[in-house]
Amino acid sequence: MTETRRLRGHKSTATCCIASRDRPGLVATAAEDGCVCWFDMRCKDVKFVMDVGNEPISSLCFNSGNENIIYVSAGNEVKCFDVHMLADNSWKPLESYNYNKEEINQVTCNSRSSFLAAADDGGEIKIIDIRQKRISKTLRSGHTSICSSVQFIPWRPWEVITGGLDSKLITWDFSKGRPLKIVDFGLPDMRSGSNAGQCLNPAFVHSIKVPDVDMLDKLGKICVVARGDGVIDVIDMESELTAMKPKSSTKSRKGTQSASKGSDGGVPDENGTKWLHLDYTLGGHTAAVSCVAFSLFGERGRFLVSGGNDKSVKVWDCSKCLDSWQIGDNNELLHLNVNLSKKVNWLCTTPSESDNLVICDTTKVVKVYTIS
């Protein structure tokens, strides 16, 4: 993999990036300078720069049904813009949502373009009804620390998954505003699922990712968890949720623990739940994993791409990862390893004339790598 381009336009550290699914090669990046830069991989220079505000931008996402609509979070506010209506450097938002009390870490839109979720430093998640332009639900009393990441579950339209710096992964029913399942990676039996010498850092959840709707046939109903101890967990969420016994909270907790014990090598446990640990023994990260994403180029979802504080990017072969659940073979899961000079803040992939990996590191210049 070779660095092919440097995307210049930001004045301070680039924090995040997203790639268009409808228009291959179109990428939006955001930074601590409060700007969003738009790039087309077919062109040399930045297409245009949106000056959103004075605060650092923490997250970006497209409206799932209309990628002309983009949501930008900065501070405790989410702003909605229609890119087609941006003219003469007038960056007036269509909508502005100020429901979060604390700083927002991630904002995401569901596949039906009806709800927006914003996860914040207070551990709360605000579910915003996009069509009604109002708050729909507040998810609280689940995380005891910063909620760092949130994802809607496309095959369960009223559920979201969140991860936090309390080492918890929580599945919520946001129609009722309550947790359905809590996995605590900070528990001793959860840590034993991976090698004890992995990393001294806590198993904070920094990033989570679920497949898009068009990837489900290939990948199944999984969730990928990027952890602070350098481990990436691939979890069969449907088997986890199906194994739950809602009438007995005790049995439900036991199910969580036995899932971790049965997770070595991805072998199903007695409840049928399946886990796979991608750690340093498989060529994985040796420091906190900051971001995970499924590849959008070629056969969408074929690769899982992760970036970390060990200044490296790992490209994992998803088909081999899922095969290892059946056969317990963890060899050759790592497809590609890329050593960088800086820590990775965020990454995304986009197809253009080539298969591109876009990386936001701890500098203001966004790097593009071509995967051959």
Side-chain angles (χ1 to χ4, degrees):
M1 193 165 86
T2 55
E3 183 183 317
T4 56
R5 288 188 61 185
R6 295 188 162 217
L7 306 180
R8 303 179 189 275
H10 290 296
K11 297 172 184 174
S12 58
T13 302
T15 52
C16 57
C17 54
I18 54 172
S20 168
R21 292 175 57 88
D22 299 340
R23 290 163 287 189
L26 185 67
V27 174
T29 64
E32 292 179 356
D33 58 9
C35 293
V36 177
C37 291
W38 292 82
F39 298 94
D40 188 328
M41 293 296 125
R42 299 168 298 180
C43 307
K44 182 181 178 182
D45 299 318
V46 60
K47 287 188 70 176
F48 62 92
V49 179
M50 293 168 53
D51 188 356
V52 174
N54 297 322
E55 291 192 86
I57 294 173
S58 56
S59 181
L60 299 169
C61 73
F62 287 116
N63 181 294
S64 309
N66 178 7
E67 287 192 346
N68 292 322
I69 304 294
I70 187 172
Y71 301 98
V72 182
S73 66
N76 62 349
E77 184 178 22
V78 182
K79 293 180 180 179
C80 168
F81 296 92
D82 185 335
V83 180
H84 274 177
M85 292 175 64
L86 300 178
D88 302 322
N89 292 333
S90 173
W91 314 119
K92 187 177 179 182
L94 285 178
E95 302 291 339
S96 182
Y97 304 113
N98 290 278
Y99 300 120
N100 294 75
K101 296 175 184 175
E102 304 283 344
E103 188 170 326
I104 296 168
N105 295 302
Q106 189 174 24
V107 61
T108 188
C109 181
N110 73 337
S111 59
R112 298 183 178 184
S113 314
S114 51
F115 292 103
L116 195 69
D120 67 30
D121 277 359
E124 293 188 353
I125 305 93
K126 300 293 182 180
I127 306 294
I128 300 163
D129 188 320
I130 296 172
R131 294 165 185 170
Q132 300 290 330
K133 301 176 183 177
R134 61 177 178 83
I135 186 80
S136 173
K137 198 72 71 174
T138 297
L139 309 181
R140 59 167 65 96
S141 303
H143 291 288
T144 55
S145 182
I146 291 169
C147 184
S148 53
S149 191
V150 58
Q151 294 277 287
F152 286 97
I153 306 179
W155 62 92
R156 288 176 174 251
W158 293 100
E159 294 176 23
V160 294
I161 305 177
T162 61
L165 302 195
D166 53 2
S167 302
K168 289 178 182 174
L169 183 76
I170 304 179
T171 306
W172 303 79
D173 180 338
F174 68 84
S175 67
K176 298 175 181 175
R178 60 181 177 87
L180 291 174
K181 185 174 182 69
I182 300 175
V183 177
D184 190 344
F185 294 109
L187 296 175
D189 61 329
M190 296 300 285
R191 290 196 297 270
S192 67
S194 61
N195 293 277
Q198 168 75 24
C199 188
L200 293 175
N201 291 337
F204 294 160
V205 179
H206 289 296
S207 175
I208 55 178
K209 192 69 179 173
V210 295
D212 294 326
V213 174
D214 60 355
M215 299 177 185
L216 288 175
D217 287 344
K218 178 179 176 57
L219 297 177
K221 298 170 180 178
I222 63 173
C223 177
V224 180
V225 184
R227 290 169 32 175
D229 57 358
V231 176
I232 299 168
D233 275 315
V234 183
I235 306 171
D236 184 333
M237 285 306 296
E238 202 60 17
S239 68
E240 279 286 315
L241 293 167
T242 306
M244 284 171 50
K245 309 222 174 17
K247 291 182 180 178
S248 171
S249 59
T250 307
K251 288 182 180 179
S252 184
R253 282 198 299 274
K254 286 181 180 177
T256 302
Q257 293 173 358
S258 61
S260 67
K261 292 174 184 173
S263 61
D264 251 358
V267 181
D269 75 346
E270 64 268 24
N271 288 333
T273 58
K274 294 181 286 189
W275 289 49
L276 179 66
H277 291 280
L278 304 176
D279 62 19
Y280 77 104
T281 64
L282 303 175
H285 293 280
T286 55
V289 188
S290 51
C291 181
V292 284
F294 291 109
S295 59
L296 292 182
F297 44 69
E299 188 180 357
R300 288 186 174 185
R302 182 188 169 187
F303 296 111
L304 173 68
V305 188
S306 59
N309 288 353
D310 54 359
K311 302 177 185 177
S312 75
V313 168
K314 315 284 182 180
V315 182
W316 306 87
D317 191 317
C318 285
S319 58
K320 290 181 179 177
C321 288
L322 300 179
D323 286 344
S324 72
W325 271 337
Q326 276 73 45
I327 59 180
D329 180 13
N330 285 335
N331 293 326
E332 298 180 354
L333 301 184
L334 184 65
H335 177 75
L336 197 61
N337 176 61
V338 187
N339 292 315
L340 309 171
S341 60
K342 303 289 182 181
K343 295 179 180 180
V344 177
N345 282 337
W346 208 253
L347 54 80
C348 66
T349 62
T350 181
S352 187
E353 285 87 357
S354 55
D355 296 340
N356 297 301
L357 171 61
V358 183
I359 297 174
C360 296
D361 58 26
T362 53
T363 70
K364 63 183 178 181
V365 180
V366 179
K367 281 78 173 181
V368 182
Y369 289 81
T370 299
I371 298 180
S372 56

